[in-house]
Structures are given as structure tokens and as C-alpha cells.
Amino acid sequence: QLQAFGGGLVQHGGSLRLSCAASGGRISDYAVAWFRQAPGKEREFVALITWTGGSTDFADSVKGRFTISRDSTKNTVYLKMNSLKPEDTAVYYCAADKVYVGVDAEYDYWGQGTLVTVSS
């Protein structure tokens, strides 16, 4: 089970850190990704981290501003978002899979989503 939290209201240029906490399993056994869905738009890939944390990937729209990391001792994956823009406003979801890793929404397990609102 995944729980995403850490969203909130932030000003343009601000920062937030989202957390994806796992229960019932070791998050180190899973590739983890973040997706987001803005009002009226389709869900889109944001970032991913592989099982060991050795590889990461980011959507072009967030490269250089977002980082993803994992802390196995806390069974949590983090998405640190810097230089936030109004177009980053969305509900952010974390997802995990033991086998699949990629930019498509093919992950088996999903968190409930956390809302990020960036004011202009």
C-alpha cells in the first residue's frame, strides 16, 4: 500500500517535497514513479527511480527542477520540487511495481494522490 503526502499551496518559485510511503512491503523491492494530473488533462509521467535507486528519469518539463530519491530505512520515496511554476499545479500520484519501470502508467500499485497548487 502506498500513501502520498506533502502537497499544499506554494508560491511561484517555491519548493515542496512530496513523500510516498510504503506499507506492507519493502519499497526497495519496487521501482517507483510519480505522475500528475492537472484539471481537465490526462495523467502524465513526472519522474521515476529504479529499484536500487541507481537510475532516475524525469519528464522534460521538470528536468533540472525536480529530484527523486529513496530512503529505504524509512520505506519512502521523495519527490523534491524546486522552482515551482503554476503549470505544475496538479494532483500528484506515486506508483510502484516490482517488474515494470517506465513512463507509462503500467504500475501495479498507486497511492491516493496529493494536491499541489502553485500560485502565480
Side-chain angles (χ1 to χ4, degrees), residues 71-105:
D71 185 338
S72 296
T73 64
K74 296 183 178 180
N75 225 25
T76 300
V77 168
Y78 301 101
L79 182 70
K80 182 65 187 302
M81 307 184 294
N82 298 319
S83 303
L84 282 162
K85 305 175 182 179
E87 50 264 43
D88 294 318
T89 294
V91 176
Y92 283 71
Y93 300 88
C94 62
D97 200 286
K98 278 195 171 184
V99 177
Y100 175 77
V101 58
V103 303
D104 295 323

Coordinates of all heavy atoms in Angstrom, one line a residue, residues 71-105:
D71 N 14.6 6.5 0.5 CA 15.2 6.2 1.8 C 14.6 4.9 2.2 O 13.5 4.8 2.7 CB 14.9 7.3 2.8 CG 15.6 7.1 4.1 OD1 16.0 6.0 4.4 OD2 15.7 8.1 4.8
S72 N 15.4 3.9 2.1 CA 14.9 2.5 2.4 C 14.7 2.4 3.9 O 13.9 1.6 4.3 CB 15.9 1.5 1.9 OG 16.0 1.5 0.5
T73 N 15.4 3.1 4.7 CA 15.3 3.0 6.1 C 13.9 3.5 6.6 O 13.3 3.1 7.6 CB 16.4 3.7 6.9 OG1 16.3 5.1 6.6 CG2 17.7 3.2 6.5
K74 N 13.4 4.4 5.8 CA 12.0 5.0 6.1 C 11.0 4.4 5.1 O 9.8 4.8 5.2 CB 12.1 6.5 6.0 CG 13.0 7.1 7.0 CD 12.9 8.7 7.0 CE 13.8 9.3 8.0 NZ 13.8 10.7 8.0
N75 N 11.4 3.5 4.3 CA 10.5 2.9 3.3 C 9.7 4.0 2.5 O 8.5 3.9 2.3 CB 9.5 2.0 4.0 CG 9.3 0.7 3.3 OD1 10.2 0.2 2.6 ND2 8.1 0.0 3.5
T76 N 10.4 5.0 2.1 CA 9.8 6.1 1.5 C 10.6 6.6 0.3 O 11.8 6.5 0.3 CB 9.7 7.3 2.5 OG1 8.9 6.9 3.6 CG2 9.0 8.5 1.9
V77 N 9.9 7.1 -0.7 CA 10.4 7.8 -1.9 C 10.0 9.2 -1.9 O 8.8 9.5 -1.6 CB 10.0 7.1 -3.2 CG1 10.4 7.9 -4.4 CG2 10.7 5.7 -3.3
Y78 N 10.9 10.1 -2.2 CA 10.6 11.5 -2.1 C 10.7 12.1 -3.5 O 11.5 11.7 -4.4 CB 11.7 12.2 -1.2 CG 11.7 11.7 0.2 CD1 12.7 10.8 0.6 CD2 10.7 12.1 1.1 CE1 12.7 10.4 1.9 CE2 10.8 11.6 2.4 CZ 11.8 10.8 2.8 OH 11.8 10.3 4.1
L79 N 9.9 13.1 -3.7 CA 10.0 14.0 -4.9 C 10.2 15.4 -4.4 O 9.2 16.0 -3.9 CB 8.7 13.9 -5.8 CG 8.7 14.7 -7.1 CD1 9.7 14.1 -8.1 CD2 7.3 14.8 -7.7
K80 N 11.4 15.9 -4.6 CA 11.7 17.3 -4.3 C 11.4 18.2 -5.5 O 12.0 18.0 -6.5 CB 13.1 17.4 -3.8 CG 13.5 18.8 -3.3 CD 12.7 19.3 -2.1 CE 12.9 20.8 -1.8 NZ 14.3 21.1 -1.5
M81 N 10.6 19.2 -5.3 CA 10.2 20.1 -6.4 C 10.7 21.5 -6.1 O 10.2 22.1 -5.1 CB 8.7 20.0 -6.6 CG 8.1 18.6 -6.7 SD 6.4 18.5 -7.1 CE 5.7 19.2 -5.5
N82 N 11.5 22.0 -6.9 CA 12.0 23.3 -6.8 C 11.6 24.2 -7.9 O 11.1 23.7 -9.0 CB 13.6 23.3 -6.7 CG 14.1 22.6 -5.5 OD1 13.6 22.7 -4.4 ND2 15.1 21.8 -5.8
S83 N 11.7 25.5 -7.8 CA 11.3 26.5 -8.8 C 10.0 26.1 -9.4 O 9.8 26.1 -10.6 CB 12.4 26.4 -9.9 OG 13.7 26.7 -9.4
L84 N 9.0 26.0 -8.5 CA 7.7 25.5 -9.0 C 7.0 26.6 -9.8 O 7.2 27.8 -9.5 CB 6.8 25.2 -7.8 CG 7.1 23.8 -7.2 CD1 6.6 23.6 -5.8 CD2 6.6 22.7 -8.1
K85 N 6.2 26.2 -10.8 CA 5.5 27.1 -11.7 C 4.0 26.8 -11.6 O 3.6 25.7 -11.2 CB 6.0 26.8 -13.1 CG 7.5 26.9 -13.4 CD 7.8 26.5 -14.8 CE 9.3 26.5 -15.0 NZ 9.7 26.1 -16.4
P86 N 3.2 27.7 -11.9 CA 1.7 27.5 -11.9 C 1.3 26.3 -12.7 O 0.4 25.6 -12.3 CB 1.2 28.8 -12.5 CG 2.2 29.8 -12.1 CD 3.5 29.1 -12.2
E87 N 2.0 26.0 -13.8 CA 1.7 24.8 -14.6 C 2.1 23.5 -13.9 O 1.7 22.4 -14.5 CB 2.4 24.9 -16.0 CG 3.9 25.2 -16.0 CD 4.2 26.7 -16.2 OE1 3.5 27.5 -15.5 OE2 5.1 27.0 -16.9
D88 N 2.7 23.5 -12.8 CA 3.0 22.3 -12.0 C 1.8 22.0 -11.1 O 1.8 20.9 -10.5 CB 4.2 22.5 -11.1 CG 5.5 22.6 -11.9 OD1 5.7 21.9 -12.9 OD2 6.3 23.5 -11.6
T89 N 0.8 22.8 -11.1 CA -0.4 22.6 -10.3 C -1.1 21.3 -10.8 O -1.4 21.2 -12.0 CB -1.4 23.7 -10.4 OG1 -0.7 24.9 -9.8 CG2 -2.7 23.4 -9.7
A90 N -1.3 20.4 -9.9 CA -1.9 19.1 -10.3 C -2.0 18.2 -9.0 O -1.5 18.5 -7.9 CB -1.0 18.3 -11.3
V91 N -2.8 17.1 -9.2 CA -2.7 16.1 -8.2 C -1.6 15.1 -8.5 O -1.5 14.7 -9.7 CB -4.1 15.3 -8.1 CG1 -4.0 14.1 -7.1 CG2 -5.2 16.2 -7.7
Y92 N -0.7 14.9 -7.6 CA 0.5 14.1 -7.8 C 0.2 12.7 -7.2 O -0.2 12.6 -6.0 CB 1.7 14.7 -7.2 CG 2.2 15.9 -8.0 CD1 1.5 17.1 -8.1 CD2 3.4 15.8 -8.7 CE1 2.0 18.1 -8.8 CE2 3.9 16.8 -9.5 CZ 3.2 18.0 -9.5 OH 3.6 19.0 -10.3
Y93 N 0.5 11.7 -8.0 CA 0.4 10.3 -7.5 C 1.7 9.6 -7.6 O 2.5 9.8 -8.5 CB -0.6 9.6 -8.5 CG -2.0 10.1 -8.6 CD1 -2.3 11.1 -9.5 CD2 -3.0 9.7 -7.8 CE1 -3.6 11.7 -9.6 CE2 -4.3 10.2 -7.9 CZ -4.6 11.2 -8.8 OH -5.8 11.7 -8.9
C94 N 1.9 8.7 -6.6 CA 3.1 7.8 -6.7 C 2.6 6.4 -7.1 O 1.4 6.1 -6.8 CB 3.9 7.8 -5.4 SG 3.1 7.2 -3.9
A95 N 3.4 5.7 -7.7 CA 3.1 4.4 -8.2 C 4.3 3.5 -8.1 O 5.5 4.0 -8.1 CB 2.6 4.5 -9.7
A96 N 4.1 2.2 -7.9 CA 5.2 1.3 -7.7 C 4.9 -0.1 -8.4 O 3.8 -0.5 -8.6 CB 5.4 1.0 -6.2
D97 N 6.0 -0.7 -8.8 CA 5.9 -2.0 -9.5 C 7.1 -2.8 -9.2 O 8.2 -2.2 -9.2 CB 5.6 -1.8 -11.0 CG 5.0 -3.0 -11.6 OD1 5.8 -4.0 -11.8 OD2 3.8 -3.0 -11.9
K98 N 7.0 -4.1 -9.0 CA 8.1 -5.0 -8.8 C 8.9 -5.3 -10.1 O 10.0 -5.7 -10.1 CB 7.7 -6.3 -8.1 CG 7.6 -6.1 -6.6 CD 7.5 -7.5 -6.0 CE 7.6 -7.4 -4.5 NZ 7.6 -8.7 -3.8
V99 N 8.2 -5.2 -11.2 CA 8.7 -5.6 -12.5 C 8.8 -4.5 -13.5 O 9.9 -4.3 -14.1 CB 7.9 -6.7 -13.1 CG1 8.4 -7.1 -14.5 CG2 7.8 -7.9 -12.2
Y100 N 7.8 -3.7 -13.6 CA 7.8 -2.6 -14.7 C 8.4 -1.4 -14.2 O 8.2 -1.0 -13.0 CB 6.3 -2.3 -15.0 CG 6.2 -1.2 -16.0 CD1 6.5 -1.3 -17.4 CD2 5.8 0.1 -15.6 CE1 6.4 -0.3 -18.2 CE2 5.8 1.2 -16.4 CZ 6.1 1.0 -17.8 OH 6.0 2.0 -18.6
V101 N 9.2 -0.7 -15.0 CA 9.7 0.6 -14.8 C 9.6 1.4 -16.1 O 10.1 0.9 -17.1 CB 11.1 0.7 -14.1 CG1 12.1 -0.1 -15.0 CG2 11.5 2.1 -13.9
G102 N 9.0 2.5 -16.1 CA 8.9 3.3 -17.4 C 8.0 4.5 -17.2 O 7.5 4.8 -16.1
V103 N 7.7 5.1 -18.3 CA 7.0 6.4 -18.3 C 5.5 6.2 -18.5 O 4.7 7.1 -18.4 CB 7.5 7.4 -19.3 CG1 9.0 7.7 -19.1 CG2 7.3 6.9 -20.7
D104 N 5.1 5.0 -18.7 CA 3.6 4.7 -18.9 C 3.0 4.3 -17.5 O 3.7 3.9 -16.7 CB 3.4 3.6 -19.9 CG 3.9 3.9 -21.3 OD1 3.7 5.1 -21.7 OD2 4.4 3.1 -22.0
A105 N 1.7 4.5 -17.4 CA 1.0 4.3 -16.2 C 0.7 2.8 -16.0 O -0.4 2.4 -15.8 CB -0.2 5.1 -16.1

